[in-house]
Amino acid sequence: VHKREGMIRIGVTSPRITQNEGYGAVEHYRNLGVYHHMEKQMRKPIEVEPMRGFAIKHGNKLDILHVQNCSTEQTLGMIKKAKQMGVKILLDFDDDLWAIPVYNHNWLRLVNAGKYATEACKLADAVIVSTHALERRVKQWCDPVRIPNSVYWQRQPVANQPPNVNMLWRGSRSHAIDIIEYNNEMLYLMDNSGKVPLVLWTDDTTATAAICLDYPDLYTDPKGKWIRQDPIDVLDYFEKMAKDTRPMLTLVPLYDDDFNKAKSNIAWLETTLAGGVAVVPKWEEWDNEGALKYSNKAEFKQKAMKVLRGEIDVPTYRDRSLTVIERKYNLDKNNWERWKIINTLAGN
């Protein structure tokens, strides 16, 4: 197989790719997106191929198989085949597959995810993770490198005008438990926000219904209390966040469990780039200057109401967050660690 001098060939598989669901946030922050940026940043030839399965032809051409969240027997089988053909295995975790709760809509399908992930760790040539909690978890089986989800301004536009007077909740079906847990607080904010609407950016009516129990019609609200945004392509989402939605305040209610505590802080990252501030749990991954942190439900409501009443200067807090992001979550900086791993695995 012809290969340009110095080229690194990487196959990428993830739950979205194997289920033919295309390019999502995980692919953007953890694999396809970062490799696209890496090729330009390092000025080195990198060929990336999304993969739903593994065949002999892949073993002949690939240097590395990047496996995102090895949670199924099918994915573990891909790893074993690739190993047999001398392809290096790079594992990447951005979910705690060992702590999927029974109330997660994927629990029954992924009940053995931790077992497959553990075996994958033992087969991997390198492992990277997105958060401190995942680093501690995976250290039980291997020596992971933590590379946080990071932003690059060219692909995630930065708002250059003041935020809109609105508040945002964004999430998928997996966040239904979070909305249910904070239902009373969310309804309180809706009822006491004056003319500030709540924008719901979700792909699931279950989560929407849970928050809007008092509002029978999920698509049109005569009271003007909330606006539904349907899911769109992730790159269009970044564009719309920075140019149209521009939330003044993003609400991040999270149920207190190990699965959620291992999540990354992209809601805060995306809100900051879009010009606003975020109310987030006072957990390790979210504990950054500029974020409005809560330790309990009362604080969640209190911090949000301060923003709604104008008692918190949004531009000041947003600027503090931007400073932290530039220092800790800048892909131009954090991709160097990923590049060192890739380069070593490729034998360069």
Side-chain angles (χ1 to χ4, degrees):
V1 180
H2 177 68
K3 178 177 176 180
R4 288 166 56 194
E5 184 178 354
M7 174 179 282
I8 300 175
R9 287 178 167 167
I10 306 172
V12 174
T13 188
S14 71
R16 283 188 67 91
I17 291 172
T18 56
Q19 294 167 32
N20 203 27
E21 295 177 352
Y23 186 89
V26 172
E27 288 68 37
H28 176 78
Y29 283 110
R30 303 306 298 174
N31 46 71
L32 300 179
V34 297
Y35 290 137
H36 175 78
H37 184 70
M38 182 184 289
E39 183 173 33
K40 295 181 177 181
Q41 179 186 358
M42 306 303 175
R43 298 183 180 180
K44 301 289 185 180
I46 301 174
E47 186 177 279
V48 180
E49 179 181 353
M51 298 176 60
R52 298 180 64 192
F54 191 90
I56 292 176
K57 64 179 181 179
H58 299 125
N60 291 334
K61 64 182 288 190
L62 292 181
D63 298 300
I64 299 166
L65 176 63
H66 178 125
V67 179
Q68 190 70 48
N69 291 339
C70 181
S71 58
T72 65
E73 188 174 14
Q74 174 191 354
T75 305
L76 184 62
M78 290 178 66
I79 291 173
K80 291 177 178 179
K81 287 181 182 178
K83 288 285 286 187
Q84 288 173 354
M85 298 202 66
V87 177
K88 298 295 184 182
I89 306 300
L90 172 60
L91 282 187
D92 188 342
F93 293 103
D94 74 323
D95 275 328
D96 190 341
L97 301 179
W98 297 266
I100 300 173
V102 293
Y103 38 80
N104 185 288
H105 71 288
N106 281 317
W107 178 79
L108 191 59
R109 183 173 64 86
L110 299 177
V111 67
N112 292 314
K115 179 181 72 173
Y116 299 131
T118 298
E119 192 167 345
C121 285
K122 297 173 182 178
L123 294 171
D125 296 287
V127 180
I128 57 178
V129 297
S130 57
T131 66
H132 292 86
L134 283 171
E135 184 178 20
R136 287 190 293 272
R137 173 76 75 183
V138 175
K139 270 187 177 178
Q140 298 177 64
W141 303 283
C142 54
D143 188 20
V145 175
R146 184 179 60 85
I147 303 177
N149 286 340
S150 304
V151 299
Y152 42 117
W153 317 124
Q154 296 92 333
R155 293 285 291 280
Q156 287 177 237
V158 181
N160 55 12
Q161 51 189 318
N164 289 320
V165 181
N166 60 32
M167 50 183 173
L168 169 72
W169 178 82
R170 28 80 82 207
S172 64
R173 286 184 68 187
S174 64
H175 288 280
I177 187 64
D178 306 320
I179 294 298
I180 292 168
E181 180 71 8
Y182 280 80
N183 186 273
N184 291 335
E185 289 70 32
M186 297 289 277
L187 288 174
Y188 176 89
L189 294 175
M190 291 172 70
D191 289 338
N192 292 275
S193 63
K195 295 183 179 180
V196 180
L198 172 65
V199 177
L200 289 172
W201 209 321
T202 177
D203 61 1
D204 178 63
T205 53
T206 302
T208 305
I211 193 177
C212 297
L213 294 175
D214 293 349
Y215 304 93
D217 193 327
L218 295 176
Y219 290 92
T220 57
D221 176 16
K223 298 180 182 179
K225 285 288 185 182
W226 69 285
I227 304 166
R228 180 187 170 95
Q229 293 274 11
D230 288 321
I232 54 177
D233 174 86
V234 67
L235 297 181
D236 292 337
Y237 160 73
F238 294 139
E239 188 84 8
K240 190 173 180 65
M241 272 283 284
K243 295 186 177 179
D244 297 330
T245 306
R246 301 199 322 276
M248 171 181 73
L249 168 66
T250 293
L251 303 170
V252 188
L254 288 178
Y255 187 80
D256 190 346
D257 63 21
D258 288 344
F259 186 74
N260 274 345
K261 284 183 174 178
K263 287 183 177 293
S264 71
N265 51 25
I266 59 173
W268 166 71
L269 295 176
E270 293 164 4
T271 298
T272 301
L273 266 59
V277 295
V279 175
V280 304
K282 194 174 183 179
W283 297 343
E284 181 178 29
E285 217 58 41
W286 304 81
D287 195 7
N288 290 300
E289 189 175 359
L292 303 177
K293 297 172 281 288
Y294 65 88
S295 299
N296 51 54
K297 293 180 182 179
E299 276 193 345
F300 170 83
K301 189 168 63 175
Q302 179 190 45
K303 294 288 178 72
M305 284 303 299
K306 282 188 174 183
V307 177
L308 295 175
R309 289 194 296 256
E311 297 172 11
I312 286 177
D313 185 61
V314 171
T316 297
Y317 277 79
R318 190 256 184 155
D319 286 345
R320 291 174 184 170
S321 289
L322 277 176
T323 299
V324 175
I325 290 171
E326 172 62 26
R327 188 178 76 249
K328 294 173 59 177
Y329 302 99
N330 185 334
L331 188 64
D332 282 332
K333 297 177 181 178
N334 292 337
N335 236 7
W336 281 101
E337 194 66 40
R338 190 179 275 109
W339 170 249
K340 286 191 293 185
I341 295 169
I342 292 299
N343 224 16
T344 300
L345 292 180
N348 294 337

